[in-house]
Amino acid sequence: MKLHTLGFPRIGADRELKFALEDYWQGRISKQELLQTTADIRRQNWAIQQQAGIELLPVGDFANYDHVLNTSLYLGIIPRRFSQDSSDKLDLEFRIARGRAPSGCACAASDMTKWFNTNYHYIVPELRESLDIKVDIQPLLEQIEEARRLGHESKPVLLGPLSYLYLSAFEGDKLQLLEQLLSGYQQIFEQLNSARVGWLQIDEPILGLELDTDWQEAFRNAYGALRQGSLKLLLTSYFASIDHHLDLIASLPLHGVHLDCVAEPTDIQLAIDTLPRHWIVSLGVIDGRNIWKSDLSALYHKLEPVYAQLNGRTWLAPSCSLLHCPVDVEPENKLEPKIKSWLAFARQKCHELSLLKQALLSGDTTEIEQYSAPVKARLTSSEAVNNALREKLTNIKQLQRAEPYAVRKQKQQVLALPQLPTTTIGSFPQTTAIRRLRAAYKRRELSAEEYTRAMQQQIKDCIALQETIGLDVLVHGEPERNDMVEYFADFLDGVTTTRFGWVQSYGSRCVKPPVIYGDITRNQPMTTNWLSYAQSLTDKPVKGMLTGPVTILCWSFVRDDLSREQVARQIALAVSDEVEDLIDSGITIIQIDEPAIREGMPVKQSQWPHYLDWAVASFRLACAKAPGGVQIHSHMCYSEFNDILDAIIALDADVLTVETSRSNMVLLDAFKHKAYPNDIGPGVYDIHSPNVPDIAWITGLLKKALDVVPAERLWVNPDCGLKTRGWQETQAALVNMVSAAKQLRAQLT
Ligand code: GLN
Ligand code: ZN
């Protein structure tokens, strides 16, 4: 039996990668220093894993920016607009990922999109008819050498050709490109052979999807065509079960398969019966994406018969790469000890594997019984059973708003908004000064009153600015929020936050997901004091700003003893309490952000309808108590809507603001076929760039929008929140946006 991992967090235990990258990009450290840091992180990662008992260490799981981008670079596939770029490989890598200049210019960054149903973003490869493959895996070979020099037994990791192709952008039939792509993979295989690589982990996570016959055929052809030499292929997939593709997989020339046994129920017996008798079966039994300690004694009893049957062919691993998990729970010194005793981060998960192995080899379960005691305690603890809440949830009478949109729209005339109303998405620039204030308050260097006064000043400035600009629906600017989920987590019972539980979101950006460990209730109003203060400063409506239940769920580590659907309902009830309080304090417009609805979709399409049903229901529950005259907005920041259009419509928000400017309003094409029935604000400029859009550009986009959305239902707003922008460019952009709206209004009347 061998213990291995599919990958380890790249950011480093103290986010060393983040800081080194940002220092390098700002010119504060040299390339040499950056590379030294990345080598240190790899060395550290291997050491942590090895000390915890992992025997076969991943190499090539590290990335300076992203592993899909790494694959593109191995193959020499770079967007054409960078082909003249003479900078060295590392700088080119960062330019593809981050753009060299404001987007819109010829050297815009490549698109980034979510990695399956995680909050990790990968850089989307841009493919064209002729791929011009130029293989260069020098960085991978060097890392293989690095690991060897340190005396490690290692297993290189490579994203497989079919998943790479599937995740790429190409206008046309992607499978046409497979042959070219395979010539690249063939060269990679040859170079790995020359480097005397044994096991190669080849990731094909798209096997979790319900692939159509063309793609299944492509798997057969591709793996049949690749000459492996002396490589031993371990095919891995994760985030879903692959029971449905076992026959296909069994027909491929492989040496082993890894199964994610956590994401969905997986039929291990079926795998043993279907896969060839000589293959390694790697069982991903430790949850690689969540932070709960495993119930090792339960696992032991499940695995014991399997282990006996496989007769030496068993490997054990976390279910997926540990990339989606923080590094080490040990330094968490502010967590309630009981909660801490329930948690295992990446390092602890490796240790769990070795405990499990010891027990399986020796038959002695004393140690794992001891280890599992807190897990059992968690599952039966009082936090987990809040009967009053459970009862409340089963007895909810009002699951959605009482009146239909048409009636609400009439009632909302009292808001007296002009045609093409202008608004923003919520946050205004978060300056260093604002961040310092929050940090000082957290460290108790500021009293509650001092902090409140300082934040009120920020809100006051923000309202004054919006009035000067002439926006119609104002926001308070969100200066008090470090993060749109963590802020709310702090007010919710049953949820806690960690100090160091960082997870990479993309490049140098990390997030610190809250931990949902028990039943969720709101312990006090969360936003009303800031909002009622803001509203007291102006006659214009100030939009209350909340994060929706699905987004809070998706961006947290969620308890595993209750369905996600049930947890979402609990959060929805807490949000609904806040909606009521906001309305009581005089707020007439409330936005409930749901940017994560799309990424929460299960890997298998057949499971989408069920997910979307409960996701939509939880949103509707959150706003059910808003009377018709109160206007509910929602916001989402992506534009791939087509496949979930019905669900978006079913949310039944009065106003939906969405990202579209980068895609030049292509989103609206979807509405040509099926009209969006309520008000909609397709973003008119890209807030990810410091560019100030001019008036003509904005009116141009709005006119396009008017082709599909009637003027009575069209809103004017940016793509997303403004927190990452500076004040100057924000003001200039909003001034132009308001002018554009006014010009069009004049033309319309
Ligand atoms: N209201 C949030 C903001 O403006 C929305 C952020 C988001 O869409 N991710 O920052
Ligand atoms: Zn957004």
Side-chain angles (χ1 to χ4, degrees):
M1 183 188 318
K2 231 186 195 26
L3 303 182
H4 73 122
T5 69
L6 275 54
F8 205 72
R10 308 159 185 153
I11 48 166
D14 294 313
R15 283 183 294 159
E16 295 91 330
L17 180 62
K18 172 193 177 67
F19 300 116
L21 283 173
E22 288 170 1
D23 283 345
Y24 177 68
W25 293 334
Q26 299 295 324
R28 289 189 292 261
I29 61 169
S30 68
K31 185 163 297 174
Q32 228 22 64
E33 287 168 293
L34 171 64
L35 293 177
Q36 188 54 53
T37 305
T38 60
D40 289 345
I41 294 173
R42 289 190 290 268
R43 193 163 35 84
Q44 181 80 19
N45 283 355
W46 289 325
I48 295 175
Q49 295 175 82
Q50 191 185 40
Q51 280 158 18
I54 301 299
E55 294 146 327
L56 193 53
L57 299 172
V59 50
D61 57 325
F62 184 82
N64 299 315
Y65 202 96
D66 163 52
H67 60 275
V68 181
L69 178 55
N70 276 1
T71 317
S72 296
L73 294 171
Y74 293 159
L75 294 161
I77 296 181
I78 57 172
R80 181 169 281 139
R81 60 187 178 283
F82 290 97
S83 55
Q84 299 304 319
D85 198 310
S86 57
S87 41
D88 80 351
K89 276 228 144 168
L90 185 68
D91 290 325
L92 179 63
E93 175 177 347
F94 293 142
R95 286 181 184 178
I96 297 171
R98 306 173 67 231
R100 174 160 44 187
S103 56
C105 104
C107 292
S110 280
D111 252 354
M112 218 166 40
T113 196
K114 303 245 169 167
W115 177 243
F116 298 88
N117 54 359
T118 74
N119 190 13
Y120 175 82
H121 303 66
Y122 73 92
I123 301 289
V124 183
E126 297 175 37
L127 305 186
R128 43 179 194 261
E129 298 282 338
S130 159
L131 290 179
D132 287 332
I133 296 212
K134 282 184 205 68
V135 168
D136 175 7
I137 57 163
Q138 202 48 38
L140 179 59
L141 295 174
E142 280 165 17
Q143 289 172 33
I144 293 171
E145 258 323 294
E146 246 172 49
R148 269 188 195 145
R149 272 199 304 274
L150 292 164
H152 297 311
E153 190 190 349
S154 75
K155 168 195 58 170
V157 178
L158 185 66
L159 179 59
L162 278 310
S163 294
Y164 178 81
L165 190 59
Y166 195 95
L167 298 170
S168 301
F170 176 66
E171 277 177 37
D173 175 14
K174 287 179 188 172
L175 286 174
Q176 273 174 14
L177 305 179
L178 185 57
E179 216 179 300
Q180 290 183 64
L181 196 59
L182 288 178
S183 74
Y185 273 83
Q186 185 62 58
Q187 291 175 53
I188 295 180
F189 277 22
E190 277 153 23
Q191 294 191 27
L192 291 175
N193 263 297
S194 310
R196 294 169 292 116
V197 166
W199 280 103
L200 173 67
Q201 171 183 325
I202 190 136
D203 285 3
E204 290 286 12
I206 63 166
L207 283 166
L209 279 68
E210 287 138 332
L211 297 172
D212 65 25
T213 44
D214 284 357
W215 281 88
Q216 294 183 34
E217 199 47 40
F219 261 97
R220 276 191 204 97
N221 294 339
Y223 282 84
L226 284 169
R227 291 176 310 279
Q228 304 164 3
S230 54
L231 293 178
K232 292 199 267 180
L233 297 192
L234 177 75
L235 184 82
T236 54
S237 71
Y238 30 83
F239 307 146
S241 99
I242 50 173
D243 290 359
H244 58 305
H245 284 322
L246 278 176
D247 286 326
L248 165 66
I249 294 168
S251 74
L252 307 178
L254 304 169
H255 296 77
V257 171
H258 169 84
L259 312 171
D260 179 333
C261 303
V262 177
E264 288 182 78
T266 276
D267 191 339
I268 298 178
Q269 192 57 50
L270 182 70
I272 296 176
D273 295 342
T274 315
L275 299 174
R277 296 280 162 235
H278 58 284
W279 285 11
I280 292 295
V281 180
S282 160
L283 300 170
V285 288
I286 304 284
D287 193 343
R289 285 180 64 175
N290 215 332
I291 39 78
W292 307 110
K293 259 187 193 169
S294 310
D295 184 345
L296 294 182
S297 71
L299 273 177
Y300 173 86
H301 293 294
K302 182 171 154 183
L303 290 180
E304 202 195 20
V306 174
Y307 169 61
Q309 259 190 83
L310 279 171
N311 205 358
R313 292 187 289 125
T314 324
W315 286 10
L316 294 181
S319 56
C320 57
S321 165
L322 294 165
L323 173 68
H324 312 286
C325 194
V327 177
D328 190 359
V329 77
E330 231 17 77
E332 293 292 340
N333 49 12
K334 292 251 166 93
L335 273 179
E336 208 186 298
K338 184 180 61 184
I339 296 180
K340 187 172 170 180
S341 80
W342 296 340
L343 304 182
F345 292 178
R347 185 174 147 214
Q348 287 74 34
K349 284 174 192 290
C350 294
H351 180 58
E352 287 185 346
L353 287 171
S354 42
L355 290 177
L356 197 55
K357 175 173 176 176
Q358 277 162 28
L360 285 167
L361 291 183
S362 67
D364 178 358
T365 57
T366 331
E367 216 172 330
I368 55 171
E369 296 295 348
Q370 220 170 37
Y371 182 88
S372 304
V375 184
K376 301 214 161 79
R378 168 169 76 89
L379 298 177
T380 52
S381 82
S382 56
E383 280 89 342
V385 228
N386 177 341
N387 289 327
L389 174 69
R390 299 281 168 97
E391 211 176 298
K392 205 168 154 192
L393 277 164
T394 38
N395 292 327
I396 298 173
K397 300 244 150 36
Q398 199 168 349
L399 294 171
Q400 60 193 55
R401 300 180 77 187
E403 294 145 322
Y405 164 78
V407 176
R408 303 194 307 254
K409 174 111 180 157
Q410 269 309 314
K411 293 195 171 169
Q412 289 162 21
Q413 297 298 327
V414 293
L415 296 170
L417 298 171
Q419 210 170 27
L420 308 182
T422 53
T423 191
T424 60
I425 305 305
S427 58
F428 266 71
Q430 292 240 336
T431 54
T432 327
I434 294 180
R435 275 195 217 104
R436 282 209 185 113
L437 284 169
R438 279 201 312 262
Y441 178 52
K442 209 162 186 182
R443 287 196 304 265
R444 305 190 184 203
E445 291 159 22
L446 280 183
S447 70
E449 288 95 87
E450 287 168 318
Y451 176 68
T452 304
R453 233 175 298 128
M455 284 296 134
Q456 287 186 340
Q457 188 57 49
Q458 295 293 337
I459 293 173
K460 198 170 184 175
D461 294 345
C462 185
I463 295 283
L465 178 75
Q466 295 172 82
E467 292 214 302
T468 318
I469 296 171
L471 287 152
D472 302 307
V473 172
L474 312 192
V475 295
H476 78 295
E478 306 181 21
E480 78 286 10
R481 301 186 191 176
N482 44 351
D483 173 273
M484 65 187 287
V485 170
E486 191 171 348
Y487 176 80
F488 290 96
D490 283 338
F491 290 95
L492 297 173
D493 286 338
V495 187
T496 190
T497 49
T498 64
R499 292 189 71 193
F500 312 106
W502 296 100
V503 178
Q504 188 177 28
S505 174
Y506 59 88
S508 69
R509 219 177 120 69
C510 302
V511 292
K512 194 152 61 62
V515 176
I516 299 179
Y517 64 88
D519 279 340
I520 297 174
T521 46
R522 189 190 65 148
N523 53 35
Q524 55 177 293
M526 308 185 278
T527 63
T528 50
N529 51 358
W530 305 121
L531 264 297
S532 50
Y533 174 73
Q535 186 63 82
S536 75
L537 303 168
T538 175
D539 293 332
K540 293 199 167 159
V542 177
K543 183 159 64 166
M545 201 54 63
L546 303 174
T547 302
V550 182
T551 300
I552 293 183
L553 181 85
C554 286
W555 292 353
S556 299
F557 290 119
V558 185
R559 59 192 294 186
D560 54 0
D561 58 332
L562 210 59
S563 71
R564 288 171 79 77
E565 169 178 2
Q566 284 170 295
V567 178
R569 243 166 106 84
Q570 295 186 353
I571 307 172
L573 209 57
V575 176
S576 149
D577 289 345
E578 188 69 15
V579 167
E580 266 189 298
D581 282 346
L582 278 171
I583 297 170
D584 285 346
S585 56
I587 299 299
T588 52
I589 303 184
I590 299 170
Q591 177 173 311
I592 304 177
D593 288 323
E594 281 292 21
I597 279 203
R598 195 168 207 301
E599 83 184 53
M601 309 243 286
V603 170
K604 291 189 175 58
Q605 198 164 353
S606 59
Q607 295 167 13
W608 290 4
H610 174 65
Y611 162 78
L612 289 170
D613 272 356
W614 64 254
V616 168
S618 70
F619 181 88
R620 290 166 74 118
L621 177 60
C623 40
K625 298 229 182 91
V630 170
Q631 192 170 63
I632 299 289
H633 291 218
S634 187
H635 165 72
M636 292 163 193
C637 20
Y638 42 79
S639 50
E640 301 135 42
F641 260 13
N642 296 14
D643 42 9
I644 55 167
L645 203 55
D646 288 323
I648 303 291
I649 292 173
L651 294 177
D652 195 27
D654 294 307
V655 183
L656 180 70
T657 56
V658 283
E659 172 180 314
T660 41
S661 72
R662 261 187 295 183
S663 60
N664 234 317
M665 301 261 160
V666 287
L667 159 76
L668 297 174
D669 289 348
F671 297 135
K672 283 193 180 133
H673 311 294
K674 179 166 212 149
Y676 183 73
N678 302 5
D679 288 19
I680 183 160
V684 294
Y685 77 88
D686 176 13
I687 59 88
H688 301 92
S689 138
N691 275 354
V692 174
D694 60 28
I695 302 178
W697 159 263
I698 300 176
T699 44
L701 286 182
L702 285 171
K703 281 183 182 153
K704 266 193 179 174
L706 280 169
D707 288 341
V708 260
V709 183
E712 316 77 70
R713 293 200 273 113
L714 185 63
W715 283 65
V716 181
N717 46 264
D719 252 357
C720 193
L722 301 162
K723 65 171 168 240
T724 56
R725 296 269 60 87
W727 282 97
Q728 250 186 348
E729 74 230 23
T730 294
Q731 177 163 6
L734 292 177
V735 163
N736 287 355
M737 187 184 87
V738 169
S739 304
K742 285 186 175 155
Q743 272 184 20
L744 268 186
R745 259 176 227 160
Q747 287 171 27
L748 286 171
T749 43

